[in-house]
Amino acid sequence: MKYMKLGSKPDAFQSGGSNSRFVATELATDIIVNVGDIKFYLHKFPLLSKSPRLQRMVVNKSEESNDEIDIPDIPGGPSTFEICAKFCYGMIVTLNAYNVVGARCAAEYLEMHETVEKGNLIYKIDVFLNTSVFRSWKDSIIVLQTTKSFQPWSEDLKVVSQCIESIAFKASFDPAEVEWSYTYNRKKLQSENGLGTQWNGVRKQQSVPKDWWVEDLCELEMSSYKRVLMSIKANARVSCEVIGEALKSYAYRRLPGFSKSNLTDGGDLAKCHSLLETIVWLLPIKRDSVSCSFLLKLLKAAMLLDCSENCVKELIRRTGQQLAEASMDDLLIPAPDGGRTLYDVDLVLNVIEEFLMHENSNDQSNLLISEEHQESRGSASVSGNSVLAVAKLIDGYLAEAAKDTNLPLLKFVELAEMIPGSSRPIHDGLYRAIDMFLKEHPDLTKTEKKKICSLMDCKKLSPEACMHVVQNERLPLRVVVQVLFFEQLRQSTAAGAAPYHSLVPHTASYGSSRSSATRANTASEWDGIPTAGDIGSLKSMKLIGRRGTGSEKSSGSGGDTGKNGEDKGDAKAKAVPTPNRMLSNFWLGKAQGGEISSSDTSESRGSMNPEEVKSHRGA
């Protein structure tokens, strides 16, 4: 920290109790100055020679034959007046970043200008500010912090604006030219923390990170921080990403409970409300300047603090543009007080709607740019990796929201239908969400079950999901039949088997509409079934294929065999019920019971009415 010493005489000010100060000298004092609740017993000559204001006050009091004057409104009170008085006496005074603003404002109040006496206090303080304080990074920040206590004097004297300009100018420096001390304690890359590679056993000098100034500015109050950041943005030499990082750090530092999304615990809610809206207002316009996770935290906080409608709309707009980057946990925003559901589903619907609007606008722009691109895109309204990512994200959110027993079916359906069907190449995630909803809402009617299951395309389920479906007692029988049929058709097509009309078996029955294999392990939950995205190759399909042909064995290259030479992999595969066998068991069971008819056969493509086969479900 920079400092400056004024005067050469020893400090002779002494305390005469808690409310008086006097100068230890042989000369009797001839004036009493009341500053606040402190009485200063001083001498007229040194004071009046440097302060025209004191001169006028003493003259007025002399006419009343009273040598006691009152100064109730001097900036900084007794402490700053004492600095000015010591300077008048020529005593040693040490100025630093913590007291210089108060001294400068008090000197201005006492009119201690250069025109009164050369080398007066105002001149010396201005020299110290311009040559030392404003050239120091940390001192400028400290001075700016202290100016709040001396408003409006510090503002009128341009001390605030000079501090802001100094800080913004230094923050806009090329990091390679930064040579002053700064705070940077956050865990960053190893190279930024001195843990990078060494060259010939000598540690390399670490480069200054681009956001080196972020943590120091978090010490500022919001009003000062806002003005500094606006000045930094005006310089246009700092990237939007760094400014976004600065706002993120400030939110985590200044909003109590922000990291845990629980702003209601501790802190002044009105102050947090104002601070949050200011942070949103300061966000850079550029997309991706802040992460989607941070935007969703801001949105969650804005809902908790009941921020303005414009603030919430802006966050929804920005979050929708970057929704593909979000995680499922980020979307779990609690419902407002008084809401029936656990999570704010309506808010998520608004975010998804904004995302789709943004994607559609991008598609339209791209179609105008390239005719060739237009032909390749066809009539699809939204596409691309971002939509696929959002579809997977929403399926995960649906599965979590479905655990809420108060979630209405219509809300679930509305949320699931927000994503175009073409954006779900695999419906495993959607099936998992539907199964979770059926589990937590056991009182659904047949019509409601049909409605929610219609969201799912059975042809887009992975083999693992199909195996789970046929063992799931919560699903309508019609869905199970559809899955068995499409899985059999897929395997038969892959194996080059007979067409569809020859797939319906005509051999002996196995005994029931659902074989014992299909009813096995019905207690197992979908949570434990891997999705297609988690499995690189469909191993179970290979096992099922081998089991279906009944003739393939291990090639012997490293295969494990049992005592009788039977491949253990084939033995394991035999235990897995294949779609062919399951569908055969189902249809042949009905044939044995004499209940199959031409109309039943005509609906074997998956259109069977659940009412007609109700007695054959087995559960």
Side-chain angles (χ1 to χ4, degrees):
M1 180 184 295
K2 304 290 184 180
Y3 66 91
M4 181 175 72
K5 284 188 176 182
L6 301 177
S8 57
K9 297 179 182 179
D11 185 354
F13 267 71
Q14 297 183 5
S15 176
S18 60
N19 60 350
S20 65
R21 300 286 188 275
F22 63 91
V23 179
T25 177
E26 297 178 356
L27 297 175
T29 59
D30 53 5
I31 186 175
I32 300 174
V33 181
N34 295 317
V35 183
D37 58 350
I38 304 296
K39 290 182 177 293
F40 289 87
Y41 296 87
L42 305 172
H43 302 85
K44 293 181 180 179
F45 176 73
L47 296 177
L48 306 186
S49 62
K50 293 180 172 60
S51 172
R53 183 161 191 156
L54 286 177
Q55 289 179 17
R56 294 194 300 271
M57 296 176 73
V58 168
V59 169
N60 294 335
K61 286 295 181 180
S62 297
E63 295 176 355
E64 301 174 4
S65 301
N66 187 355
D67 292 332
E68 188 169 345
I69 60 177
D70 297 322
I71 307 180
D73 55 348
I74 185 172
S79 60
T80 58
F81 176 79
E82 185 172 338
I83 291 175
C84 295
K86 287 180 179 179
F87 175 79
C88 293
Y89 277 94
M91 298 177 187
I92 297 176
V93 177
T94 303
L95 296 177
N96 53 47
Y98 290 100
N99 63 15
V100 66
V101 176
R104 176 64 179 85
C105 295
E108 186 70 25
Y109 177 89
L110 296 174
E111 302 175 4
M112 302 174 72
H113 295 283
E114 189 75 1
T115 54
V116 179
E117 182 178 290
K118 192 173 183 179
N120 212 344
L121 183 57
I122 290 177
Y123 170 77
K124 292 185 178 297
I125 291 177
D126 286 345
V127 169
F128 176 56
L129 288 171
N130 293 321
T131 61
S132 298
V133 173
F134 294 148
R135 294 188 178 185
S136 170
W137 166 252
K138 289 190 173 181
D139 284 357
S140 297
I141 295 174
I142 294 172
V143 168
L144 183 57
Q145 288 176 290
T146 63
T147 57
K148 185 177 180 180
S149 302
F150 300 100
Q151 293 285 4
W153 288 89
S154 58
E155 194 74 58
D156 295 339
L157 295 174
K158 310 298 183 184
V159 176
V160 175
S161 59
Q162 287 179 292
C163 283
I164 291 173
E165 291 175 5
S166 172
I167 295 170
F169 177 74
K170 290 179 175 62
S172 303
F173 257 52
D174 183 348
E177 299 179 8
V178 174
E179 299 177 350
W180 49 80
S181 174
Y182 57 86
T183 303
Y184 196 76
N185 295 324
R186 287 175 297 131
K187 294 180 179 180
K188 287 290 208 171
L189 300 174
Q190 288 186 343
S191 60
E192 294 181 353
N193 286 297
L195 301 177
T197 57
Q198 296 182 352
W199 181 259
N200 293 333
V202 179
R203 189 179 299 277
K204 294 181 180 179
Q205 183 177 1
Q206 302 303 317
S207 60
V208 176
K210 293 181 179 179
D211 58 345
W212 61 268
W213 49 269
V214 165
E215 291 187 23
D216 285 325
L217 294 194
C218 289
E219 302 296 331
L220 296 173
E221 292 293 330
M222 188 70 244
S223 57
S224 299
Y225 184 86
K226 176 182 177 181
R227 295 177 63 179
V228 170
L229 209 62
M230 289 175 61
S231 183
I232 292 174
K233 292 171 70 175
N235 288 341
R237 297 172 61 184
V238 177
S239 68
C240 293
E241 290 75 15
V242 175
I243 292 176
E245 182 66 25
L247 290 169
K248 178 181 177 181
S249 297
Y250 194 82
Y252 275 88
R253 176 78 69 88
R254 288 289 179 170
L255 288 173
F258 181 78
S259 60
K260 300 180 181 179
S261 299
N262 192 9
L263 297 176
T264 57
D265 288 350
D268 185 346
L269 294 183
K271 182 178 179 181
C272 292
H273 177 282
S274 175
L275 192 149
L276 180 63
E277 292 198 345
T278 304
I279 289 176
V280 174
W281 185 80
L282 287 171
L283 288 174
I285 298 177
K286 181 183 176 183
R287 180 184 172 183
D288 296 328
S289 55
V290 293
S291 67
C292 187
S293 177
F294 177 57
L295 288 172
L296 283 167
K297 282 185 179 294
L298 289 175
L299 182 57
K300 189 180 300 185
M303 299 302 294
L304 289 173
L305 295 172
D306 195 21
C307 289
S308 66
E309 183 179 354
N310 289 336
C311 177
V312 173
K313 284 185 177 180
E314 176 64 13
L315 287 172
I316 290 176
R317 184 187 68 82
R318 298 180 68 103
T319 303
Q321 293 179 359
Q322 301 176 221
L323 186 59
E325 308 165 13
S327 67
M328 190 268 291
D329 290 339
D330 293 330
L331 287 178
L332 298 179
I333 300 175
D337 293 338
R340 293 182 60 242
T341 58
L342 181 61
Y343 301 113
D344 196 339
V345 180
D346 290 328
L347 184 63
V348 175
L349 285 169
N350 291 334
V351 172
I352 299 173
E353 183 178 4
E354 185 64 40
F355 165 77
L356 294 175
M357 290 175 57
H358 179 72
E359 287 296 313
N360 280 324
S361 64
N362 284 346
D363 283 354
Q364 292 173 5
S365 300
N366 293 335
L367 292 174
L368 293 175
I369 293 174
S370 173
E371 182 178 356
E372 180 181 355
H373 194 69
Q374 182 179 12
E375 295 176 357
S376 65
R377 297 290 285 272
S379 60
S381 60
V382 290
S383 60
N385 294 332
S386 60
V387 185
L388 297 176
V390 170
K392 184 177 180 180
L393 173 70
I394 298 308
D395 288 347
Y397 178 82
L398 281 169
E400 190 65 27
K403 297 177 182 178
D404 180 10
T405 56
N406 292 325
L407 179 67
L409 173 64
L410 293 180
K411 284 295 179 186
F412 183 95
V413 173
E414 182 183 3
L415 186 57
E417 291 179 340
M418 288 289 288
I419 302 299
S422 60
S423 301
R424 287 190 177 100
I426 300 295
H427 276 213
D428 287 17
L430 183 58
Y431 165 60
R432 179 177 182 272
I434 292 172
D435 184 46
M436 184 61 67
F437 192 90
L438 294 174
K439 177 183 177 183
E440 299 297 334
H441 300 75
D443 298 330
L444 293 179
T445 65
K446 293 180 180 180
T447 302
E448 290 174 331
K449 288 184 178 181
K450 179 180 179 181
K451 183 177 183 63
I452 192 173
C453 289
S454 66
L455 296 170
M456 176 177 59
D457 187 346
C458 296
K459 297 188 295 294
K460 293 185 177 182
L461 293 177
S462 69
E464 293 74 28
C466 291
M467 295 302 297
H468 189 274
V469 167
V470 298
Q471 301 175 71
N472 192 341
E473 296 290 343
R474 290 186 285 269
L475 295 174
L477 184 58
R478 178 175 185 151
V479 176
V480 177
V481 173
Q482 287 179 330
V483 169
L484 283 171
F485 170 74
F486 287 123
E487 184 60 19
Q488 183 192 33
L489 184 61
R490 176 166 55 186
Q491 289 191 31
S492 300
T493 302
Y500 159 71
H501 61 79
S502 64
L503 294 180
V504 180
H506 298 281
T507 55
S509 170
Y510 282 83
S512 69
S513 61
R514 286 201 193 184
S515 67
S516 59
T518 63
R519 293 196 298 267
N521 300 324
T522 55
S524 64
E525 296 301 333
W526 175 244
D527 295 6
I529 301 298
T531 63
D534 299 326
I535 300 177
S537 61
L538 305 178
K539 296 180 180 179
S540 62
M541 280 298 293
K542 294 180 181 178
L543 292 174
I544 292 172
R546 288 188 297 182
R547 180 64 185 91
T549 60
S551 61
E552 296 183 11
K553 297 292 182 180
S554 171
S555 62
S557 57
D560 188 11
T561 59
K563 291 182 180 181
N564 297 326
E566 182 181 7
D567 185 11
K568 290 185 178 180
D570 286 344
K572 182 177 180 181
K574 291 178 181 179
V576 180
T578 69
N580 288 352
R581 172 175 291 183
M582 292 176 189
L583 193 58
S584 298
N585 291 345
F586 178 80
W587 287 110
L588 295 179
K590 289 183 66 63
Q592 184 182 36
E595 298 175 8
I596 191 167
S597 64
S598 58
S599 61
D600 293 330
T601 307
S602 66
E603 291 185 345
S604 63
R605 292 178 180 265
S607 59
M608 182 177 292
N609 191 336
E611 295 294 334
E612 297 177 4
V613 295
K614 177 179 179 181
S615 61
H616 303 287
R617 285 202 58 188

